[in-house]
Amino acid sequence: MARIEVKGQPRFKTKASKKVRKRTPGVRTVTHYKKKKTAKHVCAVCKGLLLGVPRGRIIEIKKMLKSQRVPERPFAGQLCSKCTREVLKLRAKLKFGLIKEKDIPLKLKNYVLPISKK
Amino acid sequence: MIGSVCVKIAGRDAGKECIIVDTISKHEVLIDGNTRRRKCNLKHLQFIGKKVELRKGASSEEVKKALESLKITIEKKAPAKIKKTRQEAQEAQKVKKPEVKKEKKGFKLFGKKEDKGKKEKKPKEKKVAKKKTEKKEG
Ligand SMILES: [Zn+2]
């Protein structure tokens, strides 16, 4: 059994940072401390995973181009594509008088109505 | 099918109004209006229940007039950027260069004036410094 050494600065030795064990060229195992990724991005209505939204530290994501960070669609990064379609369908029907405000389900009411009517 | 007004649900034009101009196949149509003029799947459209009289393959100006008749606001597109050829870009740089030099001369003049102002201020600072040293000695 190889002995485990703990290296690195003490300010990173918290539960907020992730431990990684590495084998050095001198055949020792050493723990390094890495910063954790952010949580997976999730749809606000159905809690499904969002596609096309990268995961990582904020610094890594800010270096990307804007088109790589989030899809080019209304409600991108907030709602999944299924939920946005439902919202936009209801918006179109409400705008041209096919339905009324009562018919909108409670889940989607925040997104369907314009901001001033909330 | 041609002339029916709909709202696009998917893609980057989602939430914008358009009119069907042509049919391509069973499930694909050509649309135009506030969206770009492009092929579109029928699953990506929400029909409103309104129809306009249009000829097959109508131009985008005709479509805009039809939308105006329904009191739908037309979104103004940002003017497209014109790409310069390499020669034009080089000529533009040649013209700009002498303007930059003139500005630099101006900065130098301002710098001289500022120096004069600084010279007047400097003795005052020295006096203050001297007073402090005198106090310390005393
Ligand atoms: Zn969803």
Side-chain angles (χ1 to χ4, degrees), chain A residues 7 9-20 32-37:
Chain A
K7 253 192 171 184
Q9 297 185 8
R11 66 195 160 116
F12 293 130
K13 290 181 190 175
T14 57
K15 281 197 173 179
S17 51
K18 195 187 175 188
K19 284 179 192 174
V20 179
H32 284 253
Y33 289 87
K34 268 192 169 183
K35 288 219 167 181
K36 279 181 185 175
K37 282 182 183 177

Side-chain angles (χ1 to χ4, degrees), chain B residues 3-138:
Chain B
S4 47
V5 186
C6 16
V7 175
K8 201 151 185 288
I9 302 166
R12 77 165 153 147
D13 287 335
K16 293 178 180 177
E17 298 89 355
C18 58
I19 298 179
I20 294 173
V21 178
D22 203 348
T23 54
I24 296 166
S25 66
K26 263 189 182 178
H27 48 267
E28 279 177 338
V29 287
L30 188 78
I31 58 167
D32 200 353
N34 279 338
T35 64
R36 295 165 289 166
R37 187 186 180 91
R38 57 174 296 160
K39 178 179 84 175
C40 180
N41 197 323
L42 282 174
K43 283 180 182 176
H44 301 163
L45 294 174
Q46 172 63 44
F47 288 85
I48 293 166
K50 289 186 177 181
K51 218 173 182 184
V52 189
E53 283 190 10
L54 267 183
R55 65 181 177 83
K56 195 181 174 186
S59 68
S60 48
E61 287 179 5
E62 287 174 318
V63 174
K64 277 179 186 176
K65 278 181 187 175
L67 281 177
E68 276 179 348
S69 67
L70 291 171
K71 293 178 183 177
I72 293 169
T73 53
I74 292 166
E75 294 169 15
K76 284 180 182 177
K77 286 173 188 174
K81 286 178 183 175
I82 303 160
K83 275 192 177 179
K84 284 179 183 175
T85 59
R86 192 172 273 182
Q87 283 186 353
E88 283 175 352
Q90 283 175 357
E91 284 171 10
Q93 278 187 351
K94 281 176 187 174
V95 176
K96 276 182 185 177
K97 272 181 181 175
E99 288 176 5
V100 174
K101 279 179 183 176
K102 280 175 189 173
E103 283 175 5
K104 277 182 180 176
K105 279 177 186 174
F107 279 121
K108 278 177 185 175
L109 286 171
F110 281 121
K112 279 177 186 174
K113 279 177 187 174
E114 282 176 5
D115 290 336
K116 283 175 188 173
K118 278 178 186 175
K119 277 172 188 174
E120 288 173 2
K121 282 178 186 175
K122 273 179 184 176
K124 284 180 185 174
E125 289 171 9
K126 280 177 184 176
K127 280 176 188 173
V128 174
K130 276 179 184 177
K131 279 177 186 174
K132 279 181 182 176
T133 51
E134 284 169 7
K135 278 177 187 175
K136 278 177 187 176
E137 284 169 5

Side-chain angles (χ1 to χ4, degrees), chain A residues 41-101:
Chain A
H41 297 280
V42 156
C43 171
V45 174
C46 69
K47 314 295 177 197
L49 286 181
L50 292 184
L51 304 179
V53 186
R55 197 159 81 97
R57 292 177 63 194
I58 299 167
I59 302 165
E60 291 165 0
I61 287 164
K62 275 193 173 180
K63 282 178 189 171
M64 291 177 179
L65 299 176
K66 197 184 176 186
S67 60
Q68 289 172 345
R69 279 180 232 153
V70 112
E72 283 189 51
R73 179 195 330 131
F75 299 109
Q78 276 189 61
L79 303 181
C80 65
S81 59
K82 272 186 185 177
C83 295
T84 48
R85 267 183 210 188
E86 272 183 45
V87 167
L88 291 172
K89 271 181 194 175
L90 289 171
R91 258 193 190 183
K93 283 178 185 173
L94 210 157
K95 191 182 174 185
F96 292 94
L98 298 182
I99 54 167
K100 289 178 182 177
E101 276 191 31

